[in-house]
PDB file of all heavy atoms in Angstrom:
ATOM      1  N   GLU A 694     -44.146-125.765  71.091  1.00 93.00           N
ATOM      2  CA  GLU A 694     -45.562-126.093  71.103  1.00 93.00           C
ATOM      3  C   GLU A 694     -46.316-124.887  70.554  1.00 93.00           C
ATOM      4  O   GLU A 694     -47.244-125.058  69.642  1.00 93.00           O
ATOM      5  CB  GLU A 694     -46.115-126.414  72.439  1.00 93.00           C
ATOM      6  CG  GLU A 694     -47.576-126.736  72.323  1.00 93.00           C
ATOM      7  CD  GLU A 694     -48.177-127.022  73.746  1.00 93.00           C
ATOM      8  OE1 GLU A 694     -47.422-127.231  74.751  1.00 93.00           O
ATOM      9  OE2 GLU A 694     -49.417-127.182  73.916  1.00 93.00           O
ATOM     10  N   ALA A 695     -45.911-123.672  70.821  1.00 93.00           N
ATOM     11  CA  ALA A 695     -46.563-122.487  70.321  1.00 93.00           C
ATOM     12  C   ALA A 695     -46.357-122.393  68.787  1.00 93.00           C
ATOM     13  O   ALA A 695     -47.273-122.074  68.007  1.00 93.00           O
ATOM     14  CB  ALA A 695     -45.991-121.237  70.969  1.00 93.00           C
ATOM     15  N   ILE A 696     -45.139-122.709  68.310  1.00 94.00           N
ATOM     16  CA  ILE A 696     -44.860-122.670  66.856  1.00 94.00           C
ATOM     17  C   ILE A 696     -45.830-123.648  66.158  1.00 94.00           C
ATOM     18  O   ILE A 696     -46.415-123.344  65.082  1.00 94.00           O
ATOM     19  CB  ILE A 696     -43.386-122.924  66.559  1.00 94.00           C
ATOM     20  CG1 ILE A 696     -42.536-121.768  66.973  1.00 94.00           C
ATOM     21  CG2 ILE A 696     -43.155-123.276  65.006  1.00 94.00           C
ATOM     22  CD1 ILE A 696     -40.989-122.091  67.083  1.00 94.00           C
ATOM     23  N   GLN A 697     -45.912-124.846  66.715  1.00 94.00           N
ATOM     24  CA  GLN A 697     -46.779-125.854  66.084  1.00 94.00           C
ATOM     25  C   GLN A 697     -48.216-125.383  66.018  1.00 94.00           C
ATOM     26  O   GLN A 697     -48.989-125.490  64.976  1.00 94.00           O
ATOM     27  CB  GLN A 697     -46.715-127.204  66.841  1.00 94.00           C
ATOM     28  CG  GLN A 697     -45.313-127.806  66.683  1.00 94.00           C
ATOM     29  CD  GLN A 697     -45.164-129.026  67.526  1.00 94.00           C
ATOM     30  OE1 GLN A 697     -45.606-129.083  68.739  1.00 94.00           O
ATOM     31  NE2 GLN A 697     -44.528-130.063  66.949  1.00 94.00           N
ATOM     32  N   GLN A 698     -48.709-124.790  67.099  1.00 92.00           N
ATOM     33  CA  GLN A 698     -50.099-124.277  67.113  1.00 92.00           C
ATOM     34  C   GLN A 698     -50.297-123.059  66.192  1.00 92.00           C
ATOM     35  O   GLN A 698     -51.363-122.940  65.590  1.00 92.00           O
ATOM     36  CB  GLN A 698     -50.467-124.003  68.556  1.00 92.00           C
ATOM     37  CG  GLN A 698     -50.720-125.203  69.424  1.00 92.00           C
ATOM     38  CD  GLN A 698     -51.406-124.963  70.679  1.00 92.00           C
ATOM     39  OE1 GLN A 698     -52.293-124.003  70.797  1.00 92.00           O
ATOM     40  NE2 GLN A 698     -51.115-125.673  71.733  1.00 92.00           N
ATOM     41  N   ILE A 699     -49.359-122.149  66.172  1.00 91.00           N
ATOM     42  CA  ILE A 699     -49.535-120.979  65.251  1.00 91.00           C
ATOM     43  C   ILE A 699     -49.514-121.539  63.733  1.00 91.00           C
ATOM     44  O   ILE A 699     -50.296-121.078  62.994  1.00 91.00           O
ATOM     45  CB  ILE A 699     -48.292-120.084  65.516  1.00 91.00           C
ATOM     46  CG1 ILE A 699     -48.399-119.411  66.753  1.00 91.00           C
ATOM     47  CG2 ILE A 699     -48.245-118.991  64.338  1.00 91.00           C
ATOM     48  CD1 ILE A 699     -47.145-118.693  67.255  1.00 91.00           C
ATOM     49  N   ARG A 700     -48.666-122.497  63.537  1.00 89.00           N
ATOM     50  CA  ARG A 700     -48.598-123.099  62.140  1.00 89.00           C
ATOM     51  C   ARG A 700     -49.962-123.721  61.745  1.00 89.00           C
ATOM     52  O   ARG A 700     -50.450-123.496  60.600  1.00 89.00           O
ATOM     53  CB  ARG A 700     -47.504-124.172  61.968  1.00 89.00           C
ATOM     54  CG  ARG A 700     -46.183-123.605  61.688  1.00 89.00           C
ATOM     55  CD  ARG A 700     -46.060-123.086  60.243  1.00 89.00           C
ATOM     56  NE  ARG A 700     -44.876-122.265  60.087  1.00 89.00           N
ATOM     57  CZ  ARG A 700     -44.897-120.944  59.928  1.00 89.00           C
ATOM     58  NH1 ARG A 700     -45.918-120.277  59.811  1.00 89.00           N
ATOM     59  NH2 ARG A 700     -43.744-120.309  59.814  1.00 89.00           N
ATOM     60  N   ALA A 701     -50.617-124.327  62.690  1.00 89.00           N
ATOM     61  CA  ALA A 701     -51.875-125.002  62.475  1.00 89.00           C
ATOM     62  C   ALA A 701     -52.940-123.972  62.319  1.00 89.00           C
ATOM     63  O   ALA A 701     -53.920-124.193  61.522  1.00 89.00           O
ATOM     64  CB  ALA A 701     -52.196-125.951  63.628  1.00 89.00           C
ATOM     65  N   ARG A 702     -52.955-122.882  63.035  1.00 85.00           N
ATOM     66  CA  ARG A 702     -53.960-121.777  62.979  1.00 85.00           C
ATOM     67  C   ARG A 702     -53.743-120.797  61.880  1.00 85.00           C
ATOM     68  O   ARG A 702     -54.759-120.302  61.380  1.00 85.00           O
ATOM     69  CB  ARG A 702     -53.999-121.148  64.300  1.00 85.00           C
ATOM     70  CG  ARG A 702     -54.381-122.078  65.498  1.00 85.00           C
ATOM     71  CD  ARG A 702     -54.287-121.309  66.785  1.00 85.00           C
ATOM     72  NE  ARG A 702     -54.480-122.297  67.888  1.00 85.00           N
ATOM     73  CZ  ARG A 702     -54.973-121.936  69.015  1.00 85.00           C
ATOM     74  NH1 ARG A 702     -55.236-120.675  69.317  1.00 85.00           N
ATOM     75  NH2 ARG A 702     -55.246-122.855  70.037  1.00 85.00           N
ATOM     76  N   ASN A 703     -52.581-120.425  61.567  1.00 84.00           N
ATOM     77  CA  ASN A 703     -52.307-119.487  60.526  1.00 84.00           C
ATOM     78  C   ASN A 703     -51.027-119.786  59.963  1.00 84.00           C
ATOM     79  O   ASN A 703     -49.927-119.188  60.377  1.00 84.00           O
ATOM     80  CB  ASN A 703     -52.366-118.044  61.192  1.00 84.00           C
ATOM     81  CG  ASN A 703     -52.264-117.010  60.007  1.00 84.00           C
ATOM     82  OD1 ASN A 703     -51.911-117.255  58.905  1.00 84.00           O
ATOM     83  ND2 ASN A 703     -52.711-115.802  60.418  1.00 84.00           N
ATOM     84  N   PRO A 704     -51.028-120.612  58.866  1.00 86.00           N
ATOM     85  CA  PRO A 704     -49.707-121.010  58.272  1.00 86.00           C
ATOM     86  C   PRO A 704     -48.987-119.854  57.537  1.00 86.00           C
ATOM     87  O   PRO A 704     -47.786-120.052  57.216  1.00 86.00           O
ATOM     88  CB  PRO A 704     -50.094-122.035  57.273  1.00 86.00           C
ATOM     89  CG  PRO A 704     -51.571-121.999  57.084  1.00 86.00           C
ATOM     90  CD  PRO A 704     -52.160-121.273  58.326  1.00 86.00           C
ATOM     91  N   ASP A 705     -49.581-118.771  57.334  1.00 85.00           N
ATOM     92  CA  ASP A 705     -49.006-117.625  56.651  1.00 85.00           C
ATOM     93  C   ASP A 705     -48.124-116.749  57.632  1.00 85.00           C
ATOM     94  O   ASP A 705     -47.387-115.863  57.037  1.00 85.00           O
ATOM     95  CB  ASP A 705     -50.019-116.768  55.995  1.00 85.00           C
ATOM     96  CG  ASP A 705     -50.659-117.584  54.796  1.00 85.00           C
ATOM     97  OD1 ASP A 705     -50.055-118.460  54.233  1.00 85.00           O
ATOM     98  OD2 ASP A 705     -51.867-117.311  54.506  1.00 85.00           O
ATOM     99  N   THR A 706     -48.293-116.860  58.845  1.00 87.00           N
ATOM    100  CA  THR A 706     -47.546-116.096  59.803  1.00 87.00           C
ATOM    101  C   THR A 706     -46.028-116.548  59.712  1.00 87.00           C
ATOM    102  O   THR A 706     -45.691-117.678  59.813  1.00 87.00           O
ATOM    103  CB  THR A 706     -48.071-116.285  61.189  1.00 87.00           C
ATOM    104  OG1 THR A 706     -49.444-115.842  61.260  1.00 87.00           O
ATOM    105  CG2 THR A 706     -47.224-115.424  62.258  1.00 87.00           C
ATOM    106  N   HIS A 707     -45.180-115.504  59.687  1.00 93.00           N
ATOM    107  CA  HIS A 707     -43.746-115.811  59.658  1.00 93.00           C
ATOM    108  C   HIS A 707     -43.222-115.889  61.156  1.00 93.00           C
ATOM    109  O   HIS A 707     -43.589-115.022  61.941  1.00 93.00           O
ATOM    110  CB  HIS A 707     -42.969-114.768  58.862  1.00 93.00           C
ATOM    111  CG  HIS A 707     -43.390-114.762  57.441  1.00 93.00           C
ATOM    112  ND1 HIS A 707     -43.046-115.661  56.492  1.00 93.00           N
ATOM    113  CD2 HIS A 707     -44.081-113.869  56.728  1.00 93.00           C
ATOM    114  CE1 HIS A 707     -43.520-115.365  55.368  1.00 93.00           C
ATOM    115  NE2 HIS A 707     -44.138-114.245  55.487  1.00 93.00           N
ATOM    116  N   ILE A 708     -42.374-116.899  61.370  1.00 95.00           N
ATOM    117  CA  ILE A 708     -41.976-117.131  62.730  1.00 95.00           C
ATOM    118  C   ILE A 708     -40.470-117.179  62.677  1.00 95.00           C
ATOM    119  O   ILE A 708     -39.854-117.888  61.986  1.00 95.00           O
ATOM    120  CB  ILE A 708     -42.569-118.497  63.332  1.00 95.00           C
ATOM    121  CG1 ILE A 708     -44.045-118.441  63.288  1.00 95.00           C
ATOM    122  CG2 ILE A 708     -42.042-118.763  64.779  1.00 95.00           C
ATOM    123  CD1 ILE A 708     -44.710-119.823  63.650  1.00 95.00           C
ATOM    124  N   ILE A 709     -39.852-116.454  63.644  1.00 96.00           N
ATOM    125  CA  ILE A 709     -38.467-116.468  63.885  1.00 96.00           C
ATOM    126  C   ILE A 709     -38.196-117.012  65.273  1.00 96.00           C
ATOM    127  O   ILE A 709     -38.643-116.347  66.231  1.00 96.00           O
ATOM    128  CB  ILE A 709     -37.714-115.040  63.652  1.00 96.00           C
ATOM    129  CG1 ILE A 709     -37.988-114.596  62.282  1.00 96.00           C
ATOM    130  CG2 ILE A 709     -36.245-115.087  64.024  1.00 96.00           C
ATOM    131  CD1 ILE A 709     -37.521-113.191  61.958  1.00 96.00           C
ATOM    132  N   ALA A 710     -37.528-118.081  65.468  1.00 97.00           N
ATOM    133  CA  ALA A 710     -37.313-118.700  66.780  1.00 97.00           C
ATOM    134  C   ALA A 710     -35.948-118.174  67.356  1.00 97.00           C
ATOM    135  O   ALA A 710     -35.080-117.959  66.488  1.00 97.00           O
ATOM    136  CB  ALA A 710     -37.192-120.239  66.651  1.00 97.00           C
ATOM    137  N   ILE A 711     -35.964-117.998  68.618  1.00 97.00           N
ATOM    138  CA  ILE A 711     -34.738-117.495  69.287  1.00 97.00           C
ATOM    139  C   ILE A 711     -34.520-118.283  70.553  1.00 97.00           C
ATOM    140  O   ILE A 711     -35.518-118.759  71.149  1.00 97.00           O
ATOM    141  CB  ILE A 711     -34.732-116.015  69.553  1.00 97.00           C
ATOM    142  CG1 ILE A 711     -35.874-115.632  70.533  1.00 97.00           C
ATOM    143  CG2 ILE A 711     -34.807-115.208  68.319  1.00 97.00           C
ATOM    144  CD1 ILE A 711     -35.909-114.226  71.003  1.00 97.00           C
ATOM    145  N   SER A 712     -33.250-118.629  70.903  1.00 96.00           N
ATOM    146  CA  SER A 712     -32.986-119.402  72.031  1.00 96.00           C
ATOM    147  C   SER A 712     -31.548-119.171  72.541  1.00 96.00           C
ATOM    148  O   SER A 712     -30.684-119.081  71.779  1.00 96.00           O
ATOM    149  CB  SER A 712     -33.282-120.900  71.807  1.00 96.00           C
ATOM    150  OG  SER A 712     -33.033-121.644  72.988  1.00 96.00           O
ATOM    151  N   ALA A 713     -31.438-119.237  73.860  1.00 94.00           N
ATOM    152  CA  ALA A 713     -30.061-119.331  74.469  1.00 94.00           C
ATOM    153  C   ALA A 713     -29.725-120.781  74.789  1.00 94.00           C
ATOM    154  O   ALA A 713     -28.597-120.975  75.370  1.00 94.00           O
ATOM    155  CB  ALA A 713     -30.006-118.498  75.727  1.00 94.00           C
ATOM    156  N   GLY A 714     -30.497-121.743  74.467  1.00 92.00           N
ATOM    157  CA  GLY A 714     -30.303-123.147  74.804  1.00 92.00           C
ATOM    158  C   GLY A 714     -30.770-123.407  76.192  1.00 92.00           C
ATOM    159  O   GLY A 714     -31.217-122.511  76.833  1.00 92.00           O
ATOM    160  N   MET A 715     -30.565-124.613  76.646  1.00 91.00           N
ATOM    161  CA  MET A 715     -30.889-124.928  78.079  1.00 91.00           C
ATOM    162  C   MET A 715     -30.120-126.186  78.503  1.00 91.00           C
ATOM    163  O   MET A 715     -30.085-127.206  77.752  1.00 91.00           O
ATOM    164  CB  MET A 715     -32.374-125.159  78.248  1.00 91.00           C
ATOM    165  CG  MET A 715     -32.847-125.483  79.669  1.00 91.00           C
ATOM    166  SD  MET A 715     -34.667-125.667  79.872  1.00 91.00           S
ATOM    167  CE  MET A 715     -35.004-123.858  80.199  1.00 91.00           C
ATOM    168  N   GLY A 716     -29.555-126.040  79.628  1.00 88.00           N
ATOM    169  CA  GLY A 716     -28.812-127.245  80.183  1.00 88.00           C
ATOM    170  C   GLY A 716     -27.747-127.680  79.206  1.00 88.00           C
ATOM    171  O   GLY A 716     -26.901-126.953  78.724  1.00 88.00           O
ATOM    172  N   ASN A 717     -27.862-128.931  78.779  1.00 90.00           N
ATOM    173  CA  ASN A 717     -26.902-129.530  77.776  1.00 90.00           C
ATOM    174  C   ASN A 717     -27.334-129.277  76.374  1.00 90.00           C
ATOM    175  O   ASN A 717     -26.597-129.881  75.476  1.00 90.00           O
ATOM    176  CB  ASN A 717     -26.792-131.029  78.118  1.00 90.00           C
ATOM    177  CG  ASN A 717     -26.024-131.294  79.450  1.00 90.00           C
ATOM    178  OD1 ASN A 717     -25.284-130.521  79.829  1.00 90.00           O
ATOM    179  ND2 ASN A 717     -26.311-132.468  80.005  1.00 90.00           N
ATOM    180  N   MET A 718     -28.424-128.552  76.127  1.00 90.00           N
ATOM    181  CA  MET A 718     -28.848-128.358  74.734  1.00 90.00           C
ATOM    182  C   MET A 718     -28.325-127.051  74.269  1.00 90.00           C
ATOM    183  O   MET A 718     -28.784-125.993  74.654  1.00 90.00           O
ATOM    184  CB  MET A 718     -30.354-128.355  74.637  1.00 90.00           C
ATOM    185  CG  MET A 718     -31.006-129.593  74.490  1.00 90.00           C
ATOM    186  SD  MET A 718     -32.726-129.508  74.044  1.00 90.00           S
ATOM    187  CE  MET A 718     -33.454-129.297  75.581  1.00 90.00           C
ATOM    188  N   PRO A 719     -27.370-127.080  73.369  1.00 94.00           N
ATOM    189  CA  PRO A 719     -26.860-125.815  72.794  1.00 94.00           C
ATOM    190  C   PRO A 719     -27.899-125.020  71.986  1.00 94.00           C
ATOM    191  O   PRO A 719     -28.786-125.606  71.350  1.00 94.00           O
ATOM    192  CB  PRO A 719     -25.721-126.248  71.848  1.00 94.00           C
ATOM    193  CG  PRO A 719     -25.457-127.709  72.169  1.00 94.00           C
ATOM    194  CD  PRO A 719     -26.708-128.287  72.734  1.00 94.00           C
ATOM    195  N   ALA A 720     -27.885-123.741  72.031  1.00 95.00           N
ATOM    196  CA  ALA A 720     -28.772-122.908  71.362  1.00 95.00           C
ATOM    197  C   ALA A 720     -28.971-123.231  69.860  1.00 95.00           C
ATOM    198  O   ALA A 720     -30.046-123.265  69.338  1.00 95.00           O
ATOM    199  CB  ALA A 720     -28.401-121.499  71.512  1.00 95.00           C
ATOM    200  N   ASP A 721     -27.851-123.480  69.241  1.00 95.00           N
ATOM    201  CA  ASP A 721     -27.882-123.784  67.788  1.00 95.00           C
ATOM    202  C   ASP A 721     -28.704-125.076  67.529  1.00 95.00           C
ATOM    203  O   ASP A 721     -29.447-125.060  66.560  1.00 95.00           O
ATOM    204  CB  ASP A 721     -26.468-124.017  67.196  1.00 95.00           C
ATOM    205  CG  ASP A 721     -25.683-122.735  67.123  1.00 95.00           C
ATOM    206  OD1 ASP A 721     -26.295-121.619  67.036  1.00 95.00           O
ATOM    207  OD2 ASP A 721     -24.405-122.750  67.113  1.00 95.00           O
ATOM    208  N   ASP A 722     -28.702-125.971  68.342  1.00 95.00           N
ATOM    209  CA  ASP A 722     -29.464-127.205  68.195  1.00 95.00           C
ATOM    210  C   ASP A 722     -30.950-126.874  68.451  1.00 95.00           C
ATOM    211  O   ASP A 722     -31.786-127.487  67.745  1.00 95.00           O
ATOM    212  CB  ASP A 722     -29.009-128.388  69.174  1.00 95.00           C
ATOM    213  CG  ASP A 722     -27.668-128.865  68.879  1.00 95.00           C
ATOM    214  OD1 ASP A 722     -27.132-128.648  67.746  1.00 95.00           O
ATOM    215  OD2 ASP A 722     -27.038-129.657  69.732  1.00 95.00           O
ATOM    216  N   VAL A 723     -31.172-126.060  69.391  1.00 95.00           N
ATOM    217  CA  VAL A 723     -32.613-125.794  69.692  1.00 95.00           C
ATOM    218  C   VAL A 723     -33.172-125.003  68.602  1.00 95.00           C
ATOM    219  O   VAL A 723     -34.335-125.330  68.049  1.00 95.00           O
ATOM    220  CB  VAL A 723     -32.666-124.896  70.972  1.00 95.00           C
ATOM    221  CG1 VAL A 723     -34.090-124.363  71.327  1.00 95.00           C
ATOM    222  CG2 VAL A 723     -32.093-125.722  72.194  1.00 95.00           C
ATOM    223  N   VAL A 724     -32.549-123.977  68.014  1.00 95.00           N
ATOM    224  CA  VAL A 724     -33.096-123.275  66.965  1.00 95.00           C
ATOM    225  C   VAL A 724     -33.274-124.090  65.573  1.00 95.00           C
ATOM    226  O   VAL A 724     -34.198-123.891  64.806  1.00 95.00           O
ATOM    227  CB  VAL A 724     -32.413-121.929  66.639  1.00 95.00           C
ATOM    228  CG1 VAL A 724     -32.563-120.970  67.776  1.00 95.00           C
ATOM    229  CG2 VAL A 724     -30.961-122.078  66.237  1.00 95.00           C
TER     230      VAL A 724
END
């Protein structure tokens, strides 16, 4: 949700997502 809001407010900001995953969702799928 934060990425979506940041993109809407300032599309020039560069975003790098990081994750360890959660439950049955592997980190690679999340990123």
